Amino acid sequence: MAHGGTSFGLWAGANHSGAHPLDAGYEPTVTSYDYDAPIGEAGELTEKFHALREVIGRYLPLPDGELPGPVPRVAPQRLERARGRAVLARALDALSRPRRHAAPLPMEQVGQGRGLIHYRTRVPGPRPELPLRIDGLADRAQVFADGRPLGVLERNSPGATLPLATGPDGVVLDILVEALGRVNYGPQMDDRKGITRGVSHGHQRLFSWEIRPLPLTDLSALSFTDGAQAGEAGDGEPAFHRFTAELPSPADAFVALPDWGRGLLWLNGFLLGRHCAAGPQRTLYAPAPLWRAGTNDLVVLELERHGTAVELRDEPDLGPVTAAPSSDY
């Protein structure tokens, strides 16, 4: 690759090494596809570029003129305090309208291509502890019982279950499914997202579902509140966090979330991509045209582990150059 690039938003793809869509072997791709290219993701000329140019110059005449210089970068800063928070479970009505179906439907059947999708039903009771299973999961599900995190199920562990018992009144079951990259080559390209088959508690299928598409293309309806009024969001409870950054003028930046878990990051309403503590990618490229002179809004949707600060850096951190381009996103 001559010039690195960025799959902004949710456009990063995926690989799949299995023979069947439900086999383990799904490998979503990170947001950056710089891949140690001679011309970096932000257009910078790297040491590799100059080494290649020197070798080429031994055998061919090089073009006249000076090489382009580095583009302006932000002065590094750390944004220590969120200006507001919105817990996802309390913002569902602002972000989506529910649809009711007998069985859970994949994203495509409710008119959605990317993002998150939320499923809710009631498991009757009383019932002893039985395994909860999702058949046809794409790609990662956070499961909640009466609002409390029950655990996570993932596509690459199709036989995994979570233990669930219910009292006399039953349990409200919420499942938040995160769609990762679509398989972009080979026989698994018909990569449906969400829940494509069904959910079982023990040997019984669960029915009567409320489904909310969450493409997250517009966050303007979110209401951010500060301090105690926002309510607490514990680890495993998805929530939006709003930060502000002051810039004297627009410039390229690389945004890092060093103490967060996994989720999405918006800059002035534009979705930069996914962040994930598992890496290998540690920063998201935020090019100058997305910034404003003055106040800028950064919104983090954290799904797993809530951090405390966002960092603006002047250099990318894409992990070791030997790392594979895909990760366990």
Side-chain angles (χ1 to χ4, degrees):
M1 182 174 288
H3 194 314
T6 312
S7 297
F8 287 115
L10 302 174
W11 287 96
N15 302 330
H16 198 301
S17 58
H20 186 275
L22 299 182
D23 291 343
Y26 172 75
E27 297 178 325
T29 307
V30 295
T31 298
S32 169
Y33 59 94
D34 181 274
Y35 297 174
D36 195 34
I39 303 174
E41 179 180 25
E44 70 275 15
L45 305 182
T46 68
E47 291 184 10
K48 179 182 286 188
F49 173 90
H50 294 290
L52 289 171
R53 191 173 191 272
E54 191 274 329
V55 171
I56 293 170
R58 298 177 195 173
Y59 306 98
L60 295 171
L62 296 175
D64 295 330
E66 294 185 4
L67 294 173
V71 298
R73 298 266 174 94
V74 299
Q77 60 176 291
R78 182 176 171 90
L79 313 177
E80 293 283 358
R81 181 177 176 272
R83 301 295 183 181
R85 183 169 64 243
V87 176
L88 177 61
R90 303 187 192 114
L92 290 173
D93 288 337
L95 293 171
S96 180
R97 292 183 179 180
R99 305 183 185 196
R100 290 174 173 81
H101 294 271
L105 300 177
M107 281 187 175
E108 294 76 13
Q109 290 192 28
V110 293
Q112 183 181 351
R114 292 171 177 82
L116 307 176
I117 188 167
H118 180 268
Y119 302 89
R120 174 175 290 168
T121 191
R122 176 173 285 277
V123 183
R127 288 187 177 186
E129 184 177 286
L130 295 169
L132 182 79
R133 186 181 74 253
I134 302 177
D135 295 315
L137 171 62
D139 298 299
R140 180 181 186 272
Q142 293 176 257
V143 184
F144 305 84
D146 283 341
R148 299 184 302 275
L150 187 64
V152 174
L153 296 171
E154 297 182 300
R155 175 175 180 161
N156 277 339
S157 300
T161 62
L162 295 171
L164 175 65
T166 69
D169 297 328
V171 162
V172 175
L173 181 70
D174 290 285
I175 303 175
L176 180 67
V177 178
E178 179 185 5
L180 302 175
R182 294 184 184 277
V183 177
N184 53 19
Y185 73 93
Q188 314 299 352
M189 288 182 66
D190 55 338
D191 190 11
R192 301 293 182 259
K193 299 300 184 183
I195 298 175
T196 62
R197 291 189 175 179
V199 180
S200 299
H201 186 223
H203 295 296
Q204 184 176 5
R205 279 289 203 222
L206 300 178
F207 295 96
S208 187
W209 291 87
E210 178 185 279
I211 304 172
R212 291 178 181 268
L214 296 169
L216 302 179
T217 54
D218 182 4
L219 303 184
S220 61
L222 280 178
S223 178
F224 288 94
T225 50
D226 199 4
Q229 293 181 347
E232 293 299 323
D235 287 348
E237 183 179 6
F240 296 89
H241 303 261
R242 178 175 174 263
F243 292 80
T244 58
E246 298 291 333
L247 262 63
S249 60
D252 279 1
F254 302 89
V255 187
L257 294 97
D259 55 348
W260 301 73
R262 61 177 299 118
L264 303 173
L265 175 64
W266 287 261
L267 168 59
N268 292 329
F270 181 87
L271 179 54
L272 293 178
R274 305 180 189 277
H275 69 272
C276 182
Q281 182 174 348
R282 302 296 183 189
T283 58
L284 288 170
Y285 176 43
L290 296 177
W291 295 93
R292 299 188 288 254
T295 302
N296 296 268
D297 287 328
L298 293 101
V299 174
V300 181
L301 170 58
E302 178 55 46
L303 302 173
E304 191 173 82
R305 185 178 70 247
H306 300 280
T308 57
V310 174
E311 295 180 359
L312 306 187
R313 300 179 181 176
D314 57 2
E315 294 290 338
D317 182 356
L318 302 179
V321 296
T322 55
S326 59
S327 79
D328 59 354
Y329 266 14

Short mmCIF file of all heavy atoms in Angstrom, two decimals, residues 63-126:
data_model
loop_
_atom_site.label_atom_id
_atom_site.label_comp_id
_atom_site.label_asym_id
_atom_site.label_seq_id
_atom_site.Cartn_x
_atom_site.Cartn_y
_atom_site.Cartn_z
N PRO A 63 11.64 13.46 -9.84
CA PRO A 63 11.00 14.72 -10.27
C PRO A 63 11.66 15.93 -9.61
O PRO A 63 12.17 15.85 -8.49
CB PRO A 63 9.55 14.56 -9.82
CG PRO A 63 9.36 13.11 -9.57
CD PRO A 63 10.69 12.56 -9.17
N ASP A 64 11.65 17.04 -10.34
CA ASP A 64 12.15 18.29 -9.76
C ASP A 64 11.16 18.82 -8.73
O ASP A 64 9.99 18.46 -8.71
CB ASP A 64 12.35 19.33 -10.87
CG ASP A 64 13.45 18.91 -11.85
OD1 ASP A 64 14.38 18.21 -11.40
OD2 ASP A 64 13.36 19.30 -13.03
N GLY A 65 11.65 19.75 -7.93
CA GLY A 65 10.77 20.39 -6.96
C GLY A 65 10.93 19.80 -5.57
O GLY A 65 11.42 18.68 -5.39
N GLU A 66 10.49 20.57 -4.59
CA GLU A 66 10.60 20.14 -3.20
C GLU A 66 9.44 19.22 -2.83
O GLU A 66 8.33 19.34 -3.34
CB GLU A 66 10.61 21.36 -2.28
CG GLU A 66 11.83 22.25 -2.44
CD GLU A 66 11.84 23.38 -1.42
OE1 GLU A 66 10.91 23.38 -0.56
OE2 GLU A 66 12.73 24.22 -1.49
N LEU A 67 9.71 18.35 -1.91
CA LEU A 67 8.66 17.49 -1.37
C LEU A 67 7.76 18.32 -0.45
O LEU A 67 8.20 19.29 0.18
CB LEU A 67 9.27 16.34 -0.58
CG LEU A 67 10.09 15.33 -1.39
CD1 LEU A 67 10.78 14.35 -0.46
CD2 LEU A 67 9.20 14.59 -2.37
N PRO A 68 6.49 17.96 -0.35
CA PRO A 68 5.59 18.70 0.55
C PRO A 68 6.03 18.56 2.00
O PRO A 68 6.49 17.50 2.43
CB PRO A 68 4.23 18.06 0.31
CG PRO A 68 4.53 16.72 -0.29
CD PRO A 68 5.78 16.88 -1.07
N GLY A 69 5.89 19.63 2.74
CA GLY A 69 6.24 19.62 4.16
C GLY A 69 5.11 19.07 5.01
O GLY A 69 4.01 18.78 4.53
N PRO A 70 5.36 18.91 6.29
CA PRO A 70 4.31 18.39 7.19
C PRO A 70 3.15 19.38 7.33
O PRO A 70 3.34 20.59 7.30
CB PRO A 70 5.05 18.22 8.52
CG PRO A 70 6.22 19.13 8.43
CD PRO A 70 6.62 19.19 6.99
N VAL A 71 1.96 18.84 7.47
CA VAL A 71 0.78 19.67 7.67
C VAL A 71 0.66 20.01 9.15
O VAL A 71 1.22 19.32 10.01
CB VAL A 71 -0.50 18.96 7.18
CG1 VAL A 71 -0.41 18.67 5.69
CG2 VAL A 71 -0.73 17.67 7.95
N PRO A 72 -0.04 21.10 9.49
CA PRO A 72 -0.16 21.48 10.90
C PRO A 72 -0.85 20.40 11.73
O PRO A 72 -1.77 19.72 11.28
CB PRO A 72 -1.02 22.75 10.85
CG PRO A 72 -0.83 23.29 9.47
CD PRO A 72 -0.67 22.09 8.59
N ARG A 73 -0.38 20.24 12.95
CA ARG A 73 -0.95 19.30 13.91
C ARG A 73 -1.36 20.07 15.16
O ARG A 73 -0.79 21.12 15.48
CB ARG A 73 0.07 18.22 14.27
CG ARG A 73 0.52 17.35 13.08
CD ARG A 73 -0.31 16.09 13.00
NE ARG A 73 0.00 15.30 11.80
CZ ARG A 73 0.88 14.30 11.79
NH1 ARG A 73 1.56 13.99 12.86
NH2 ARG A 73 1.05 13.60 10.68
N VAL A 74 -2.32 19.53 15.89
CA VAL A 74 -2.77 20.18 17.12
C VAL A 74 -1.67 20.14 18.17
O VAL A 74 -0.82 19.25 18.17
CB VAL A 74 -4.04 19.51 17.69
CG1 VAL A 74 -5.19 19.58 16.72
CG2 VAL A 74 -3.75 18.09 18.11
N ALA A 75 -1.70 21.10 19.06
CA ALA A 75 -0.87 21.02 20.26
C ALA A 75 -1.52 20.00 21.19
O ALA A 75 -2.72 20.08 21.47
CB ALA A 75 -0.79 22.38 20.94
N PRO A 76 -0.79 19.00 21.66
CA PRO A 76 -1.40 17.96 22.50
C PRO A 76 -2.10 18.55 23.71
O PRO A 76 -1.62 19.52 24.32
CB PRO A 76 -0.20 17.10 22.92
CG PRO A 76 0.81 17.29 21.83
CD PRO A 76 0.65 18.73 21.39
N GLN A 77 -3.24 17.98 24.03
CA GLN A 77 -3.97 18.39 25.23
C GLN A 77 -4.78 17.23 25.76
O GLN A 77 -5.12 16.29 25.03
CB GLN A 77 -4.87 19.60 24.98
CG GLN A 77 -5.94 19.40 23.93
CD GLN A 77 -6.85 20.61 23.82
OE1 GLN A 77 -7.63 20.92 24.72
NE2 GLN A 77 -6.74 21.34 22.70
N ARG A 78 -5.07 17.28 27.03
CA ARG A 78 -5.85 16.23 27.70
C ARG A 78 -7.15 16.84 28.20
O ARG A 78 -7.13 17.83 28.96
CB ARG A 78 -5.04 15.64 28.85
CG ARG A 78 -5.73 14.49 29.59
CD ARG A 78 -4.80 13.92 30.65
NE ARG A 78 -5.46 12.97 31.54
CZ ARG A 78 -5.55 11.66 31.32
NH1 ARG A 78 -5.00 11.15 30.23
NH2 ARG A 78 -6.16 10.86 32.17
N LEU A 79 -8.25 16.26 27.78
CA LEU A 79 -9.58 16.72 28.19
C LEU A 79 -9.99 15.89 29.40
O LEU A 79 -10.32 14.71 29.29
CB LEU A 79 -10.58 16.56 27.05
CG LEU A 79 -10.10 17.06 25.67
CD1 LEU A 79 -11.14 16.78 24.61
CD2 LEU A 79 -9.75 18.54 25.73
N GLU A 80 -9.96 16.52 30.56
CA GLU A 80 -10.06 15.78 31.81
C GLU A 80 -11.48 15.48 32.27
O GLU A 80 -11.71 14.50 32.96
CB GLU A 80 -9.34 16.56 32.93
CG GLU A 80 -7.84 16.66 32.76
CD GLU A 80 -7.11 15.37 33.13
OE1 GLU A 80 -7.79 14.42 33.56
OE2 GLU A 80 -5.88 15.33 32.99
N ARG A 81 -12.42 16.31 31.90
CA ARG A 81 -13.75 16.18 32.51
C ARG A 81 -14.84 16.23 31.46
O ARG A 81 -14.89 17.15 30.65
CB ARG A 81 -13.97 17.31 33.53
CG ARG A 81 -15.31 17.26 34.25
CD ARG A 81 -15.40 18.36 35.29
NE ARG A 81 -16.71 18.39 35.92
CZ ARG A 81 -17.74 19.06 35.45
NH1 ARG A 81 -17.63 19.75 34.32
NH2 ARG A 81 -18.91 19.04 36.08
N ALA A 82 -15.71 15.22 31.48
CA ALA A 82 -16.85 15.21 30.56
C ALA A 82 -17.81 16.34 30.91
O ALA A 82 -18.05 16.63 32.08
CB ALA A 82 -17.57 13.87 30.62
N ARG A 83 -18.36 16.98 29.87
CA ARG A 83 -19.32 18.07 30.06
C ARG A 83 -20.74 17.59 30.21
O ARG A 83 -21.65 18.38 30.46
CB ARG A 83 -19.22 19.03 28.87
CG ARG A 83 -17.85 19.64 28.67
CD ARG A 83 -17.46 20.53 29.82
NE ARG A 83 -16.17 21.17 29.60
CZ ARG A 83 -15.58 21.98 30.47
NH1 ARG A 83 -16.19 22.27 31.60
NH2 ARG A 83 -14.40 22.50 30.22
N GLY A 84 -20.96 16.31 30.02
CA GLY A 84 -22.30 15.77 30.16
C GLY A 84 -22.31 14.29 29.83
O GLY A 84 -21.38 13.77 29.19
N ARG A 85 -23.36 13.62 30.26
CA ARG A 85 -23.47 12.17 30.04
C ARG A 85 -24.91 11.82 29.73
O ARG A 85 -25.85 12.47 30.22
CB ARG A 85 -22.98 11.41 31.26
CG ARG A 85 -22.98 9.90 31.09
CD ARG A 85 -22.23 9.20 32.22
NE ARG A 85 -22.88 9.40 33.51
CZ ARG A 85 -22.31 10.03 34.54
NH1 ARG A 85 -21.12 10.57 34.39
NH2 ARG A 85 -22.96 10.16 35.67
N ALA A 86 -25.10 10.80 28.92
CA ALA A 86 -26.44 10.29 28.60
C ALA A 86 -26.37 8.77 28.58
O ALA A 86 -25.67 8.19 27.74
CB ALA A 86 -26.92 10.82 27.25
N VAL A 87 -27.04 8.13 29.52
CA VAL A 87 -27.05 6.68 29.60
C VAL A 87 -27.91 6.14 28.45
O VAL A 87 -29.05 6.59 28.26
CB VAL A 87 -27.57 6.20 30.96
CG1 VAL A 87 -27.68 4.68 31.01
CG2 VAL A 87 -26.65 6.70 32.08
N LEU A 88 -27.37 5.20 27.69
CA LEU A 88 -28.07 4.71 26.50
C LEU A 88 -29.44 4.14 26.83
O LEU A 88 -30.42 4.38 26.11
CB LEU A 88 -27.21 3.66 25.79
CG LEU A 88 -27.84 3.00 24.56
CD1 LEU A 88 -28.15 4.03 23.49
CD2 LEU A 88 -26.93 1.91 24.01
N ALA A 89 -29.56 3.38 27.91
CA ALA A 89 -30.83 2.74 28.24
C ALA A 89 -31.93 3.78 28.47
O ALA A 89 -33.11 3.50 28.22
CB ALA A 89 -30.67 1.86 29.49
N ARG A 90 -31.55 4.99 28.93
CA ARG A 90 -32.54 6.03 29.17
C ARG A 90 -32.77 6.91 27.95
O ARG A 90 -33.64 7.77 27.96
CB ARG A 90 -32.10 6.90 30.36
CG ARG A 90 -31.88 6.11 31.63
CD ARG A 90 -31.62 7.01 32.81
NE ARG A 90 -31.14 6.23 33.93
CZ ARG A 90 -29.92 6.31 34.45
NH1 ARG A 90 -29.05 7.16 33.93
NH2 ARG A 90 -29.55 5.56 35.46
N ALA A 91 -31.94 6.71 26.91
CA ALA A 91 -32.04 7.54 25.71
C ALA A 91 -32.64 6.80 24.53
O ALA A 91 -32.67 7.33 23.42
CB ALA A 91 -30.65 8.06 25.34
N LEU A 92 -33.12 5.58 24.74
CA LEU A 92 -33.63 4.78 23.62
C LEU A 92 -34.78 5.47 22.90
O LEU A 92 -34.85 5.46 21.66
CB LEU A 92 -34.06 3.40 24.11
CG LEU A 92 -32.93 2.46 24.55
CD1 LEU A 92 -33.51 1.19 25.17
CD2 LEU A 92 -32.03 2.12 23.37
N ASP A 93 -35.70 6.08 23.65
CA ASP A 93 -36.84 6.74 23.01
C ASP A 93 -36.41 7.93 22.17
O ASP A 93 -37.06 8.27 21.18
CB ASP A 93 -37.86 7.19 24.06
CG ASP A 93 -38.62 6.02 24.68
OD1 ASP A 93 -38.69 4.97 24.02
OD2 ASP A 93 -39.11 6.17 25.81
N ALA A 94 -35.32 8.60 22.56
CA ALA A 94 -34.83 9.74 21.79
C ALA A 94 -34.12 9.31 20.51
O ALA A 94 -34.10 10.05 19.53
CB ALA A 94 -33.88 10.58 22.65
N LEU A 95 -33.58 8.11 20.51
CA LEU A 95 -32.76 7.66 19.38
C LEU A 95 -33.51 6.78 18.39
O LEU A 95 -33.07 6.62 17.25
CB LEU A 95 -31.54 6.89 19.90
CG LEU A 95 -30.51 7.71 20.69
CD1 LEU A 95 -29.48 6.77 21.32
CD2 LEU A 95 -29.82 8.72 19.79
N SER A 96 -34.62 6.16 18.81
CA SER A 96 -35.26 5.17 17.95
C SER A 96 -36.71 4.96 18.34
O SER A 96 -37.11 5.25 19.47
CB SER A 96 -34.49 3.85 18.05
OG SER A 96 -35.05 2.86 17.23
N ARG A 97 -37.46 4.44 17.39
CA ARG A 97 -38.83 4.03 17.66
C ARG A 97 -38.89 2.51 17.68
O ARG A 97 -38.34 1.84 16.80
CB ARG A 97 -39.78 4.56 16.60
CG ARG A 97 -39.94 6.08 16.63
CD ARG A 97 -40.96 6.54 15.60
NE ARG A 97 -41.15 7.99 15.64
CZ ARG A 97 -41.97 8.65 14.85
NH1 ARG A 97 -42.69 7.98 13.94
NH2 ARG A 97 -42.10 9.96 14.97
N PRO A 98 -39.59 1.93 18.66
CA PRO A 98 -39.62 0.46 18.75
C PRO A 98 -40.49 -0.16 17.67
O PRO A 98 -41.47 0.41 17.22
CB PRO A 98 -40.19 0.21 20.14
CG PRO A 98 -41.04 1.42 20.42
CD PRO A 98 -40.34 2.57 19.75
N ARG A 99 -40.09 -1.35 17.28
CA ARG A 99 -40.89 -2.18 16.38
C ARG A 99 -41.13 -3.50 17.08
O ARG A 99 -40.23 -4.02 17.75
CB ARG A 99 -40.16 -2.42 15.05
CG ARG A 99 -39.73 -1.12 14.38
CD ARG A 99 -39.09 -1.38 13.05
NE ARG A 99 -38.58 -0.14 12.45
CZ ARG A 99 -38.25 -0.02 11.18
NH1 ARG A 99 -38.36 -1.05 10.36
NH2 ARG A 99 -37.81 1.13 10.72
N ARG A 100 -42.31 -4.06 16.94
CA ARG A 100 -42.66 -5.28 17.66
C ARG A 100 -42.83 -6.44 16.68
O ARG A 100 -43.55 -6.32 15.68
CB ARG A 100 -43.92 -5.06 18.49
CG ARG A 100 -43.65 -4.13 19.67
CD ARG A 100 -44.89 -3.75 20.45
NE ARG A 100 -44.53 -3.01 21.66
CZ ARG A 100 -44.23 -1.72 21.69
NH1 ARG A 100 -44.29 -1.00 20.57
NH2 ARG A 100 -43.89 -1.13 22.83
N HIS A 101 -42.13 -7.52 17.00
CA HIS A 101 -42.18 -8.72 16.17
C HIS A 101 -42.18 -9.94 17.07
O HIS A 101 -41.70 -9.89 18.21
CB HIS A 101 -40.98 -8.77 15.22
CG HIS A 101 -40.98 -7.67 14.20
ND1 HIS A 101 -41.59 -7.80 12.98
CD2 HIS A 101 -40.45 -6.43 14.23
CE1 HIS A 101 -41.44 -6.68 12.29
NE2 HIS A 101 -40.74 -5.84 13.03
N ALA A 102 -42.69 -11.03 16.55
CA ALA A 102 -42.72 -12.27 17.33
C ALA A 102 -41.32 -12.75 17.65
O ALA A 102 -41.04 -13.22 18.76
CB ALA A 102 -43.50 -13.34 16.57
N ALA A 103 -40.41 -12.66 16.69
CA ALA A 103 -39.04 -13.14 16.86
C ALA A 103 -38.07 -12.01 16.58
O ALA A 103 -38.41 -11.04 15.88
CB ALA A 103 -38.77 -14.31 15.91
N PRO A 104 -36.86 -12.06 17.11
CA PRO A 104 -35.87 -11.03 16.80
C PRO A 104 -35.51 -11.08 15.32
O PRO A 104 -35.37 -12.15 14.73
CB PRO A 104 -34.66 -11.40 17.68
CG PRO A 104 -34.85 -12.83 18.01
CD PRO A 104 -36.31 -13.08 18.04
N LEU A 105 -35.38 -9.91 14.72
CA LEU A 105 -35.07 -9.81 13.30
C LEU A 105 -33.67 -9.26 13.12
O LEU A 105 -33.19 -8.45 13.92
CB LEU A 105 -36.05 -8.88 12.59
CG LEU A 105 -37.53 -9.27 12.63
CD1 LEU A 105 -38.36 -8.19 11.93
CD2 LEU A 105 -37.76 -10.61 11.98
N PRO A 106 -32.97 -9.65 12.03
CA PRO A 106 -31.67 -9.04 11.74
C PRO A 106 -31.84 -7.57 11.35
O PRO A 106 -32.94 -7.12 11.00
CB PRO A 106 -31.12 -9.88 10.59
CG PRO A 106 -32.32 -10.49 9.96
CD PRO A 106 -33.32 -10.70 11.06
N MET A 107 -30.76 -6.83 11.39
CA MET A 107 -30.80 -5.41 11.08
C MET A 107 -31.44 -5.13 9.73
O MET A 107 -32.25 -4.20 9.58
CB MET A 107 -29.37 -4.84 11.07
CG MET A 107 -28.79 -4.55 12.41
SD MET A 107 -27.20 -3.71 12.21
CE MET A 107 -26.81 -3.35 13.91
N GLU A 108 -31.06 -5.91 8.73
CA GLU A 108 -31.49 -5.62 7.36
C GLU A 108 -33.01 -5.67 7.22
O GLU A 108 -33.58 -4.96 6.40
CB GLU A 108 -30.84 -6.60 6.39
CG GLU A 108 -29.33 -6.46 6.27
CD GLU A 108 -28.57 -7.03 7.46
OE1 GLU A 108 -29.18 -7.76 8.27
OE2 GLU A 108 -27.36 -6.75 7.58
N GLN A 109 -33.68 -6.47 8.04
CA GLN A 109 -35.13 -6.58 7.94
C GLN A 109 -35.86 -5.44 8.62
O GLN A 109 -37.09 -5.33 8.49
CB GLN A 109 -35.59 -7.94 8.49
CG GLN A 109 -35.18 -9.11 7.61
CD GLN A 109 -35.87 -10.40 8.02
OE1 GLN A 109 -36.98 -10.40 8.56
NE2 GLN A 109 -35.21 -11.52 7.75
N VAL A 110 -35.13 -4.59 9.34
CA VAL A 110 -35.76 -3.38 9.89
C VAL A 110 -35.16 -2.14 9.25
O VAL A 110 -35.26 -1.04 9.80
CB VAL A 110 -35.61 -3.35 11.43
CG1 VAL A 110 -36.43 -4.45 12.07
CG2 VAL A 110 -34.16 -3.42 11.86
N GLY A 111 -34.54 -2.31 8.08
CA GLY A 111 -34.08 -1.17 7.30
C GLY A 111 -32.79 -0.54 7.77
O GLY A 111 -32.56 0.64 7.50
N GLN A 112 -31.94 -1.30 8.44
CA GLN A 112 -30.71 -0.77 9.01
C GLN A 112 -29.51 -1.50 8.42
O GLN A 112 -29.54 -2.71 8.24
CB GLN A 112 -30.73 -0.94 10.53
CG GLN A 112 -29.52 -0.36 11.23
CD GLN A 112 -29.57 -0.58 12.73
OE1 GLN A 112 -30.59 -1.01 13.26
NE2 GLN A 112 -28.48 -0.29 13.41
N GLY A 113 -28.44 -0.74 8.14
CA GLY A 113 -27.24 -1.35 7.58
C GLY A 113 -26.08 -1.47 8.54
O GLY A 113 -25.30 -2.41 8.43
N ARG A 114 -25.95 -0.52 9.47
CA ARG A 114 -24.80 -0.49 10.37
C ARG A 114 -25.22 0.07 11.72
O ARG A 114 -26.30 0.61 11.86
CB ARG A 114 -23.67 0.37 9.79
CG ARG A 114 -23.05 -0.23 8.55
CD ARG A 114 -22.08 0.75 7.87
NE ARG A 114 -21.45 0.12 6.72
CZ ARG A 114 -22.01 0.02 5.52
NH1 ARG A 114 -23.21 0.53 5.32
NH2 ARG A 114 -21.38 -0.58 4.53
N GLY A 115 -24.34 -0.05 12.69
CA GLY A 115 -24.58 0.53 14.00
C GLY A 115 -24.89 -0.51 15.05
O GLY A 115 -24.33 -1.61 15.08
N LEU A 116 -25.80 -0.16 15.95
CA LEU A 116 -26.24 -1.05 17.02
C LEU A 116 -27.72 -1.35 16.83
O LEU A 116 -28.43 -0.63 16.13
CB LEU A 116 -26.04 -0.40 18.39
CG LEU A 116 -24.65 0.14 18.73
CD1 LEU A 116 -24.68 0.83 20.09
CD2 LEU A 116 -23.62 -0.95 18.72
N ILE A 117 -28.17 -2.42 17.47
CA ILE A 117 -29.59 -2.74 17.45
C ILE A 117 -29.95 -3.31 18.82
O ILE A 117 -29.16 -4.06 19.42
CB ILE A 117 -29.95 -3.70 16.31
CG1 ILE A 117 -31.47 -3.88 16.19
CG2 ILE A 117 -29.23 -5.03 16.43
CD1 ILE A 117 -31.91 -4.55 14.90
N HIS A 118 -31.12 -2.90 19.34
CA HIS A 118 -31.52 -3.25 20.69
C HIS A 118 -32.76 -4.13 20.65
O HIS A 118 -33.73 -3.84 19.94
CB HIS A 118 -31.82 -1.97 21.49
CG HIS A 118 -32.25 -2.20 22.88
ND1 HIS A 118 -33.57 -2.33 23.25
CD2 HIS A 118 -31.53 -2.36 24.03
CE1 HIS A 118 -33.66 -2.54 24.55
NE2 HIS A 118 -32.44 -2.56 25.05
N TYR A 119 -32.70 -5.23 21.40
CA TYR A 119 -33.82 -6.17 21.48
C TYR A 119 -34.27 -6.28 22.94
O TYR A 119 -33.44 -6.32 23.86
CB TYR A 119 -33.40 -7.57 21.02
CG TYR A 119 -32.86 -7.66 19.61
CD1 TYR A 119 -31.50 -7.47 19.36
CD2 TYR A 119 -33.69 -7.95 18.54
CE1 TYR A 119 -30.99 -7.58 18.08
CE2 TYR A 119 -33.19 -8.06 17.25
CZ TYR A 119 -31.84 -7.86 17.02
OH TYR A 119 -31.34 -7.97 15.75
N ARG A 120 -35.60 -6.35 23.14
CA ARG A 120 -36.13 -6.48 24.50
C ARG A 120 -37.32 -7.43 24.51
O ARG A 120 -38.19 -7.38 23.62
CB ARG A 120 -36.56 -5.12 25.04
CG ARG A 120 -37.26 -5.19 26.41
CD ARG A 120 -37.56 -3.79 26.94
NE ARG A 120 -36.33 -3.10 27.31
CZ ARG A 120 -36.27 -1.79 27.58
NH1 ARG A 120 -37.37 -1.05 27.48
NH2 ARG A 120 -35.13 -1.24 27.93
N THR A 121 -37.35 -8.30 25.52
CA THR A 121 -38.50 -9.16 25.76
C THR A 121 -38.57 -9.46 27.24
O THR A 121 -37.68 -9.06 28.01
CB THR A 121 -38.40 -10.47 24.95
OG1 THR A 121 -39.66 -11.16 25.00
CG2 THR A 121 -37.31 -11.38 25.47
N ARG A 122 -39.63 -10.14 27.67
CA ARG A 122 -39.74 -10.58 29.06
C ARG A 122 -39.64 -12.09 29.12
O ARG A 122 -40.37 -12.79 28.41
CB ARG A 122 -41.05 -10.11 29.69
CG ARG A 122 -41.26 -10.61 31.12
CD ARG A 122 -42.47 -10.01 31.77
NE ARG A 122 -42.24 -8.62 32.16
CZ ARG A 122 -41.63 -8.25 33.28
NH1 ARG A 122 -41.19 -9.16 34.14
NH2 ARG A 122 -41.46 -6.97 33.55
N VAL A 123 -38.75 -12.57 29.96
CA VAL A 123 -38.63 -14.01 30.21
C VAL A 123 -39.54 -14.33 31.38
O VAL A 123 -39.38 -13.76 32.46
CB VAL A 123 -37.18 -14.40 30.52
CG1 VAL A 123 -37.07 -15.91 30.69
CG2 VAL A 123 -36.24 -13.91 29.42
N PRO A 124 -40.53 -15.21 31.20
CA PRO A 124 -41.48 -15.47 32.28
C PRO A 124 -40.81 -16.19 33.46
O PRO A 124 -39.71 -16.73 33.35
CB PRO A 124 -42.54 -16.34 31.62
CG PRO A 124 -41.85 -16.98 30.46
CD PRO A 124 -40.83 -15.98 30.00
N GLY A 125 -41.50 -16.20 34.59
CA GLY A 125 -40.97 -16.86 35.76
C GLY A 125 -42.08 -17.42 36.64
O GLY A 125 -43.26 -17.25 36.33
N PRO A 126 -41.69 -18.10 37.70
CA PRO A 126 -40.29 -18.34 38.10
C PRO A 126 -39.66 -19.46 37.29
O PRO A 126 -40.34 -20.40 36.88
CB PRO A 126 -40.42 -18.73 39.57
CG PRO A 126 -41.77 -19.39 39.67
CD PRO A 126 -42.66 -18.66 38.69
#
